[in-house]
Amino acid sequence: MSTNYTAEVIRDETELLDICIMADGRKKHMWGKYAQRRETDLATQLDEDKIPLLIGSGIGVAARELLKQKDRTLLILDCETEILAASGLKEELRAHSNLVWINTSSPRNAAKHIMELESNSGKKVQLLKNPFYLRLSQFYLQTEKLLIERESKEVEFPVWPKFQNEKPRILLLTSQYFLMGEIVAACQRQGVPHMFINMDAKEMELEQFVTRISAAIDTFRPDFVLTVNHLGVDQEGVLNTLLHKFQLPLASWFVDNPLLILPLYQAQANEDTTIFTWDADRMDSLREMGFSNIFHLPLGTDQTRFLPSKGCTESKWARDISFVGNSMVHKTAKRFTASKISGLLAEKWKELAHAFGQGSEHSVVNFLKTDFPELYPEYENLVIPHRKLAFETLIIWQATLEYRLSCVQKTLDFNPLIVGDDGWKQILKSNRAWEYHHELSYYDDLPRFYPCSKINFNCTSQQMKGAVNQRVFDVPACNGFILTDHRYQMEKLFEPGKEIAVYNSLAEIPQLVDKYLNDESARKRIIKAARKRILNEHTYDCRIKTLIKCMRQVHQ
């Protein structure tokens, strides 16, 4: 039991703070062992030609070990006064003459003092840190960033002409996100030279991050870097600093709401960054955040995954109508917990979400200001950006929950098969018949599932009130028929009524379901027209061509 727990802690350090404050004494004990082992490890990672610098809290064991070397200077940067007072570490070590304790609350002053000590001693410092404690405060990360930037200034970064060939070289930077697989496949089909760096799901130390990215850039010599939803881009701006030194532009394609992501990166807006968004409604907000190079780039489909079939190959899935989607029950609960709201926000958040879902405003913050001004000061009091974003997401997910539920309820007379999380069992309580199926694999199951329903019903998330989702491309691509809610941006992608079947209100749903269930020839005509349009204009091959064209236009 304890061995498994320790492995879990080491594998996911981002959850250690929660573990540390849990009341479970056994878990506290396990974390204490892990932390002590980390500190001991720090003391064994020494470069004999450098001055050791212990940075951040949780370094007591390492400090005691290093101070046993009487002829060696030790630097400590730890400004957590409350922790130091509780532990008594600073008082305990005060008598050691070879110890220099750096006292400042300014990252710039700390970095300056460290550099002065280096200059006086003729030696560089070696940063020794406990990554978990380092993330307790931006102070340590900012100090480390300044020191790394100092070192990078001493290095000559190679620069090369960009976009000299017909097919540019793309460095793909990401963590684990489904769309990157489609991008890689599209690049391979088109012969676009690319290098893929998976930054993994867990965080890596800053020096390791810099070394890995720099080596990849220097080796591959890309024309630009591409990421999805800003994954792999650090909030401290280290990647942006590196790219600037290499004179390398960054493309970030947002296929989820950028307003729930980019506020954490707003200070990094610059001309070297080009933003692509699947939702055209976000472009003005992105400009207000300081981004000048912005393009609309909708979702699409991978035509090699969503291949056409001659019909349903899985009889267990054969139905008149089905819906595939998340109930948002569990997602909403998680966002509620993360936002830690109280007072008026806790009292009125559902009322706010309902009203937000009824309106056309796509920004929760703007909606608060105009329609619920009495709640806006409460929102501002959340202070921490992550809590604010969690609250905004909570409102969007709750609005989506209510909207999806109201849409799906209109299909119950037709005995739908609902595929998704078990939250549907909690909210869809009806005397009318419907069937539940657990979530299906996007890649392995859905290309075979969609053709098994006469009608694939679709209702779009409230995070996109004008844009369309992935399903409107995937379903017709594999010879499935889709009935979806109207979104005005679809009119630039399809011809409604001819290439896609749409409903404009809840009242229209039952009559349109009945109509298309009883008109097979109409379903086939629309599928054929939609698939032709998708293969010509809406594959990820098409999207990558457009993205490359835009990057060349801006940065050549």
Side-chain angles (χ1 to χ4, degrees):
M1 179 69 179
S2 60
T3 303
N4 291 339
Y5 183 78
T6 306
E8 181 181 349
V9 170
I10 295 172
R11 186 170 62 247
D12 190 0
E13 286 188 320
T14 61
E15 296 181 359
L16 287 181
L17 182 57
D18 291 332
I19 293 169
C20 288
I21 62 176
M22 290 177 72
D24 188 325
R26 185 185 76 258
K27 291 183 177 180
K28 284 184 176 180
H29 176 66
M30 290 309 304
W31 160 243
K33 283 188 174 181
Y34 169 68
Q36 188 174 31
R37 186 169 67 252
R38 286 285 307 185
E39 293 179 52
T40 305
D41 289 345
L42 293 178
T44 62
Q45 298 171 5
L46 292 180
D47 183 333
E48 294 298 325
D49 297 324
K50 293 184 177 181
I51 306 171
L53 167 62
L54 291 172
I55 182 169
S57 299
I59 42 79
V61 173
R64 295 183 188 97
E65 288 295 318
L66 291 170
L67 287 171
K68 292 176 181 178
Q69 304 178 30
K70 303 295 185 182
D71 58 342
R72 187 168 197 164
T73 300
L74 171 64
L75 308 181
I76 293 181
L77 177 62
D78 183 354
C79 301
E80 302 297 328
T81 54
E82 292 183 5
I83 297 176
L84 287 170
S87 67
L89 180 66
K90 195 169 184 179
E91 287 299 316
E92 175 191 337
L93 303 181
R94 186 184 294 276
H96 291 272
S97 59
N98 56 330
L99 171 63
V100 178
W101 203 295
I102 300 171
N103 294 299
T104 178
S105 58
S106 164
R108 192 165 296 279
N109 288 342
K112 181 180 178 182
H113 189 32
I114 292 167
M115 286 184 259
E116 288 174 351
L117 290 169
E118 286 182 325
S119 177
N120 293 335
S121 66
K123 291 185 176 183
K124 296 289 186 182
V125 299
Q126 179 186 6
L127 270 65
L128 302 173
K129 65 236 181 193
N130 186 326
F132 164 65
Y133 280 114
L134 207 63
R135 289 195 291 271
L136 283 177
S137 171
Q138 286 292 310
F139 168 76
Y140 301 116
L141 287 171
Q142 290 168 7
T143 302
E144 184 182 15
K145 178 188 171 187
L146 288 170
L147 292 172
I148 290 175
E149 286 180 349
R150 179 279 315 268
E151 291 180 4
S152 69
K153 288 178 182 178
E154 300 172 1
V155 177
E156 186 174 336
F157 286 81
V159 176
W160 54 92
K162 311 298 190 298
F163 298 98
Q164 299 300 298
N165 299 314
E166 179 186 353
K167 295 180 179 179
R169 301 170 68 82
I170 306 176
L171 180 63
L172 303 171
L173 175 66
T174 188
S175 293
Q176 297 175 354
Y177 196 81
F178 82 96
L179 187 58
M180 192 54 73
E182 280 82 343
I183 292 173
V184 170
C187 287
Q188 290 172 341
R189 286 191 293 270
Q190 298 176 77
V192 175
H194 60 281
M195 181 178 183
F196 178 75
I197 301 183
N198 190 338
M199 302 305 292
D200 302 322
K202 61 184 178 181
E203 298 178 35
M204 64 174 65
E205 295 185 23
L206 199 54
E207 288 175 277
Q208 182 185 359
F209 176 82
V210 170
T211 300
R212 188 171 178 185
I213 297 296
S214 298
I217 292 173
D218 193 24
T219 301
F220 183 63
R221 301 291 175 99
D223 291 289
F224 66 94
V225 175
L226 172 61
T227 185
V228 176
N229 284 354
H230 243 47
L231 290 169
V233 180
D234 63 294
Q235 296 174 24
E236 293 73 37
V238 174
L239 177 66
N240 264 294
T241 300
L242 270 178
L243 297 184
H244 179 72
K245 294 180 184 299
F246 282 105
Q247 297 182 22
L248 194 58
L250 171 69
S252 191
W253 185 7
F254 282 88
V255 295
D256 284 307
N257 191 344
L259 302 186
L260 300 178
I261 301 171
L262 279 179
L264 300 172
Y265 301 84
Q266 191 166 353
Q268 299 180 32
N270 57 55
E271 293 184 352
D272 294 330
T273 299
T274 300
I275 301 294
F276 295 85
T277 172
W278 99 116
D279 186 354
D281 289 339
R282 310 296 174 182
M283 297 177 75
D284 288 342
S285 297
L286 289 167
R287 290 190 186 94
E288 291 172 4
M289 294 176 71
F291 295 95
S292 55
N293 304 317
I294 308 165
F295 295 92
H296 178 216
L297 192 65
L299 292 165
T301 193
D302 185 334
Q303 73 277 17
T304 65
R305 292 184 186 273
F306 287 85
L307 292 167
S309 67
K310 295 181 180 179
C312 181
T313 59
E314 300 284 346
S315 58
K316 63 182 179 181
W317 291 334
R319 295 294 190 280
D320 280 346
I321 183 170
S322 66
F323 171 75
V324 178
N326 196 285
S327 71
M328 312 308 292
V329 169
H330 304 302
K331 288 190 174 186
T332 299
K334 287 180 180 179
R335 292 301 90 201
F336 180 84
T337 301
S339 64
K340 300 178 182 178
I341 55 175
S342 60
L344 275 178
L345 288 183
E347 180 183 334
K348 293 191 173 184
W349 70 272
K350 284 192 176 180
E351 178 186 344
L352 169 63
H354 179 76
F356 176 78
Q358 300 295 310
S360 58
E361 173 60 56
H362 60 264
S363 166
V364 173
V365 177
N366 290 342
F367 189 73
L368 270 173
K369 291 177 179 178
T370 57
D371 289 58
F372 287 78
E374 74 278 11
L375 296 183
Y376 186 71
E378 301 280 333
Y379 164 81
E380 284 295 314
N381 285 339
L382 295 177
V383 180
I384 301 172
H386 287 89
R387 286 181 65 193
K388 287 185 173 182
L389 294 177
F391 177 73
E392 293 174 50
T393 310
L394 168 67
I395 299 306
I396 293 171
W397 283 173
Q398 177 65 22
T400 299
L401 184 157
E402 293 182 12
Y403 175 65
R404 282 189 176 169
L405 179 60
S406 65
C407 290
V408 170
Q409 284 175 330
K410 292 294 183 178
T411 71
L412 292 182
D413 286 341
F414 304 93
N415 189 22
L417 175 63
I418 298 176
V419 179
D421 61 292
D422 61 7
W424 284 110
K425 297 178 182 179
Q426 297 179 34
I427 61 173
L428 197 56
K429 298 174 181 177
S430 172
N431 294 328
R432 290 175 288 179
W434 65 279
E435 297 178 75
Y436 171 75
H437 194 292
H438 60 77
E439 292 172 309
L440 293 172
S441 166
Y442 177 77
Y443 294 122
D444 297 332
D445 297 326
L446 290 184
R448 295 180 295 120
F449 177 85
Y450 288 144
C452 288
S453 293
K454 292 179 181 178
I455 296 176
N456 289 275
F457 185 71
N458 187 46
C459 40
T460 312
S461 167
Q462 290 291 68
Q463 73 163 319
M464 41 182 156
K465 295 186 176 182
V468 299
N469 61 17
Q470 183 85 35
R471 202 164 292 115
V472 301
F473 304 106
D474 289 343
V475 174
C478 58
N479 274 354
F481 177 83
I482 188 167
L483 173 62
T484 186
D485 45 353
H486 180 267
R487 290 291 185 265
Y488 82 90
Q489 291 177 36
M490 71 169 51
E491 295 174 8
K492 293 185 177 181
L493 306 170
F494 299 99
E495 184 179 339
K498 181 179 178 181
E499 296 173 324
I500 192 166
V502 300
Y503 58 91
N504 294 281
S505 67
L506 294 177
E508 288 185 345
I509 294 173
Q511 63 189 59
L512 287 173
V513 171
D514 185 64
K515 171 187 173 181
Y516 286 113
L517 282 179
N518 294 288
D519 195 342
E520 182 179 5
S521 61
R523 297 200 307 269
K524 287 183 176 180
R525 282 197 306 272
I526 291 175
I527 291 172
K528 183 178 180 181
R531 188 167 191 279
K532 180 179 179 181
R533 182 78 178 265
I534 289 167
L535 292 180
N536 286 337
E537 300 179 20
H538 302 318
T539 65
Y540 282 114
D541 294 45
C542 298
R543 299 294 185 249
I544 291 301
K545 287 178 183 177
T546 300
L547 188 148
I548 289 173
K549 180 181 178 181
C550 293
M551 289 299 291
R552 193 184 298 275
Q553 171 187 325
V554 172
H555 298 288
Q556 189 170 29

